[in-house]
């Protein structure tokens, strides 16, 4: 089964336990008779997928989770659908943090991804146009601009996740998920979380 | 004495205990024979000031604080110069958090300002193009996109400041300083902090 998660930057594919990402503008050819079951949070990239392959099935509607949240992104729904109990952190262009308890979505929030922090700071002032240094010392107050920006971005995200998790198990996914997972003891990194949620929903419908 | 703090968005003026801000493109005429003592973190806006008034004195060099920090912005230097002991939070386009102890600057870090969070999220995806809702409930997990973004931005800034302050006194300044100060018991809001630091430095040199 070929699955696709159409995100804001990349299209992420899943097939036979393997995952890979492709840019919307240069999608590889897939076998014509194989259906691509997909979800999408980005219309433009979705159009690229539909133009590149005739047999695509949007399975967004199949993913239903119990939640009072209005407007929960379909990728967040999918990742949450894979986990009954715990905190799900999808660290991509944006970082979404969602809490699941006994199969119910209690709510969640959104922070900018690390790349967005970098861009944002560069836009405020040219003197703040620095890379985020992932190796920054988070235990000592910074003594230069690069460290000051990196410390502000990384530590604020970590403190928020710590504050939300308490004793709950943490499930990290997304491009920066592996990086953030290492700051927590009770963390699992699983870059197939969204696809697991899609599969779970598909099994009910197909 | 007429003071000016040239920031990235506005020029902030101080005279006789009064403060006001002006846009760099539409600066009001000042009395010609009155010197404007100024500091600047933005070259373009500084040029606007110099073009609008002949008698300007850059006092950036006069402000010296003991610090190992390389490249500390002159506005941060000025605000820190006003305080011997405590945490100084300047919440403007960017939010800077600096720690002073016995007249020595121990270090500091930078986070995006609330407006920058809004812009940053809008750039990630049109569905994240929402205003930051300052009245968001910070005690309950959000149930919609506006709250999710507001919660992520505001709470992460508050948690970082709490983590840094411990028992230290907090001094807030800048456009959003008043808003953030109300979340802390040991907080003072003083929108003249930068000017106090400038005055203290000037008293030594003039």
């Amino acid at each position: 089964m070929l699955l696709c998660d159409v995100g804001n930057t990349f299209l992420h594919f899943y097939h036979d336990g393997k995952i890979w990402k492709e840019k919307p503008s240069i999608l590889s050819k897939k076998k014509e008779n194989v259906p691509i079951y997909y979800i999408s949070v980005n219309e433009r990239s979705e159009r690229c997928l539909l133009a590149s392959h005739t047999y695509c099935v949007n399975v967004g509607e199949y993913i239903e989770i119990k939640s009072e949240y209005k407007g929960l992104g379909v990728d967040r729904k999918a990742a949450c659908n894979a986990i009954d109990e715990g905190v799900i952190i999808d660290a991509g262009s944006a970082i979404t943090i969602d809490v699941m308890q006994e199969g119910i979505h209690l709510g969640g929030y959104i922070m900018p991804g690390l790349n967005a922090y970098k861009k944002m700071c560069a836009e405020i002032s040219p003197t703040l146009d620095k890379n985020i240094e992932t190796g920054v010392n988070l235990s000592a107050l910074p003594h230069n601009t690069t460290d000051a920006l990196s410390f502000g971005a990384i530590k604020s995200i970590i403190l928020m996740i710590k504050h939300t998790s308490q004793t709950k198990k943490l499930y990290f996914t997304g491009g920066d998920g592996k990086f953030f997972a290492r700051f927590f003891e009770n963390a699992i990194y699983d870059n197939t979380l969204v696809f697991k949620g899609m599969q779970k929903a598909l099994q009910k419908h197909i």
Side-chain angles (χ1 to χ4, degrees), chain A residues 85-103:
Chain A
E85 188 89 30
V87 181
I88 296 103
I89 302 108
D90 190 344
S93 317
I95 298 176
T96 55
I97 294 104
D98 286 287
V99 180
M100 291 293 291
Q101 191 177 292
E102 296 179 6

Side-chain angles (χ1 to χ4, degrees), chain A residues 128-198:
Chain A
L128 301 185
D129 190 0
K130 310 279 183 188
N131 283 322
I132 298 293
E133 176 54 64
T134 52
V136 63
N137 182 353
L138 297 175
S139 311
L141 281 168
H143 284 160
N144 62 65
T145 307
T146 301
D147 285 356
L149 292 170
S150 308
F151 183 99
I154 296 169
K155 193 154 183 165
S156 65
I157 294 165
I158 292 173
L159 283 184
M160 282 293 274
I161 297 171
K162 279 217 167 108
H163 194 264
T164 305
S165 73
Q166 310 288 348
T167 58
K168 290 188 195 76
K169 210 162 181 172
L170 300 171
Y171 296 87
F172 286 87
T173 192
D176 290 323
K178 202 170 196 170
F179 167 71
F180 281 110
R182 66 179 193 191
F183 294 101
F184 300 89
E185 280 182 12
N186 51 340
I188 286 173
Y189 171 66
D190 182 352
N191 57 2
T192 66
L193 218 53
V194 169
F195 300 114
K196 280 182 180 154
M198 287 173 73

Side-chain angles (χ1 to χ4, degrees), chain A residues 27-118:
Chain A
L27 288 170
S28 71
K29 269 275 158 215
K30 314 287 185 299
K31 280 181 193 162
E32 270 186 29
N33 59 336
V34 173
I36 300 179
Y37 296 101
Y38 76 95
I39 56 170
S40 170
V41 295
N42 187 298
E43 273 186 48
R44 192 188 291 181
S45 298
E46 182 180 353
R47 281 197 294 272
C48 294
L49 177 71
L50 297 177
S52 80
H53 192 83
T54 46
Y55 190 2
C56 295
V57 185
N58 188 333
V59 299
E61 286 178 11
Y62 299 173
I63 305 164
E64 284 167 7
I65 62 164
K66 286 178 191 160
S67 177
E68 286 182 28
Y69 196 109
K70 287 192 179 75
L72 192 65
V74 70
D75 50 347
R76 287 169 73 184
K77 268 190 196 169
C80 289
N81 196 41
I83 304 295
D84 275 342
E85 188 89 30
V87 181
I88 296 103
I89 302 108
D90 190 344
S93 317
I95 298 176
T96 55
I97 294 104
D98 286 287
V99 180
M100 291 293 291
Q101 191 177 292
E102 296 179 6
I104 294 165
H105 177 253
L106 299 186
Y109 55 93
I110 306 170
M111 295 184 74
L114 287 183
N115 257 334
Y117 269 97
K118 180 189 152 35

